[in-house]
Amino acid sequence: MDCIFCKIARGEIPSNKVYEDDQVLAFYDLDPQAPVHILLIPKEHIGSAVEITPQNSGVVAHIFEVAAKLARELHLENGFRLVNNCGKDGQQTVQHLHVHLLGGRSMTWPPG
Ligand code: AMP
Ligand code: ZN
């Protein structure tokens, strides 16, 4: 499948990895929007948050577990933000489910 994050998960496109296990990969975003900007993806292809089902939601929970571990390791004690952009209105640009871990600065609300 011609999916850039599937290719990253398979190691066919290089990425700056911060964490990997059999289910999840985390790597630095190419265009960082904060001092810490990591993407967490399931290795299996899930197109977006609307494709989360009882059958695949375990990996989504695992993504949040890995995000918490990375936030602790990266000393984001002041807090951080986990973001999922979904679909056209959500400004999703890569059609493979991913969670942004953003930290190292104070965020604004509401997002634009
Ligand atoms: P989204 O707009 O939520 O779909 O987020 C996609 C993110 O993927 C953007 O923040 C891009 O900067 C990032 N991105 C796209 N291609 C790559 C890549 N090859 N390596 C790392 N980050 C990427
Ligand atoms: Zn994919």
Side-chain angles (χ1 to χ4, degrees), residues 50-111:
V50 288
E51 293 183 20
I52 297 170
T53 65
Q55 287 69 40
N56 65 22
S57 62
V59 72
V60 180
H62 188 48
I63 282 174
F64 276 76
E65 194 186 330
V66 172
K69 170 184 147 61
L70 292 176
R72 288 191 298 269
E73 288 175 3
L74 295 167
H75 305 291
L76 299 178
E77 289 90 0
N78 284 342
F80 54 90
R81 186 168 286 173
L82 298 176
V83 173
N84 170 252
N85 296 325
C86 181
K88 184 168 161 279
D89 282 358
Q91 304 294 326
Q92 181 179 2
T93 60
V94 176
Q95 311 309 315
H96 179 127
L97 180 69
H98 51 281
V99 172
H100 299 254
L101 168 58
L102 297 148
R105 67 167 169 84
S106 183
M107 303 293 156
T108 57
W109 190 263

Side-chain angles (χ1 to χ4, degrees), residues 19-25 42-44 59 62:
Y19 176 88
E20 182 170 19
D21 64 27
D22 57 331
Q23 295 182 77
V24 168
L25 181 66
K43 286 191 169 177
E44 69 175 295
V59 72
H62 188 48

Side-chain angles (χ1 to χ4, degrees), residues 4-5 8 13 27-31 37 39 85 91-94 98 100:
I4 187 171
F5 285 0
I8 286 175
I13 291 177
F27 53 96
Y28 283 99
D29 197 292
L30 269 186
D31 182 21
H37 188 172
L39 299 173
N85 296 325
Q91 304 294 326
Q92 181 179 2
T93 60
V94 176
H98 51 281
H100 299 254

